[in-house]
């Protein structure tokens, strides 16, 4: 398993790490959040960066940090301008 985290540039902090088998699964999850205006990543996509920070071997219970963390992109780079977004319209 790979270990990922999201860096919040406004808070100047990393969010709780999460584990997924592949970079593709991590970027898909990040993209889904970036395209959801109700999610914090979608509300402020310019503030968040996805990072790969290590690996976890579940057979022996060992976490191995990457020597150099790998940036997988900012949320704003994953926003699909053609995706339908939910817009709250209040009736008068």
């Amino acid at each position: 398993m790979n270990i990922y985290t999201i860096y919040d540039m406004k808070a100047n902090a990393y969010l709780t790490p999460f584990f997924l088998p592949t970079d593709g699964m991590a970027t898909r999850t990040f993209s889904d959040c970036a395209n959801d205006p109700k999610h914090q990543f979608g509300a402020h996509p310019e503030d968040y960066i996805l990072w790969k920070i290590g690996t976890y071997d579940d057979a022996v219970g060992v976490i191995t940090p990457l020597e150099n963390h790998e940036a997988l992109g900012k949320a704003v780079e994953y926003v699909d301008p053609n995706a339908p977004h939910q817009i709250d319209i209040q009736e008068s």
Side-chain angles (χ1 to χ4, degrees):
M1 297 289 278
N2 294 310
I3 307 170
Y4 302 92
T5 186
I6 308 294
Y7 182 70
D8 180 341
M9 294 188 292
K10 291 289 196 259
N12 197 29
Y14 290 90
L15 303 180
T16 303
F18 59 98
F19 301 79
L20 287 169
T22 67
D23 291 352
M25 292 174 76
T27 57
R28 178 178 61 204
T29 300
F30 190 53
S31 177
D32 288 347
C33 294
N35 283 285
D36 180 354
K38 293 182 179 182
H39 191 282
Q40 65 187 24
F41 303 164
H44 305 282
E46 66 282 354
D47 294 343
Y48 298 97
I49 304 170
L50 174 63
W51 288 90
K52 182 177 180 179
I53 61 170
T55 59
Y56 173 66
D57 184 338
D58 62 355
V60 292
V62 174
I63 291 175
T64 306
L66 291 180
E67 188 172 318
N68 296 305
H69 293 176
E70 183 180 340
L72 298 178
K74 294 181 180 180
V76 72
E77 296 168 355
Y78 287 88
V79 174
D80 180 356
N82 299 316
H85 293 285
Q86 296 179 353
I87 301 172
D88 292 324
I89 299 174
Q90 299 200 7
E91 295 181 29
S92 45

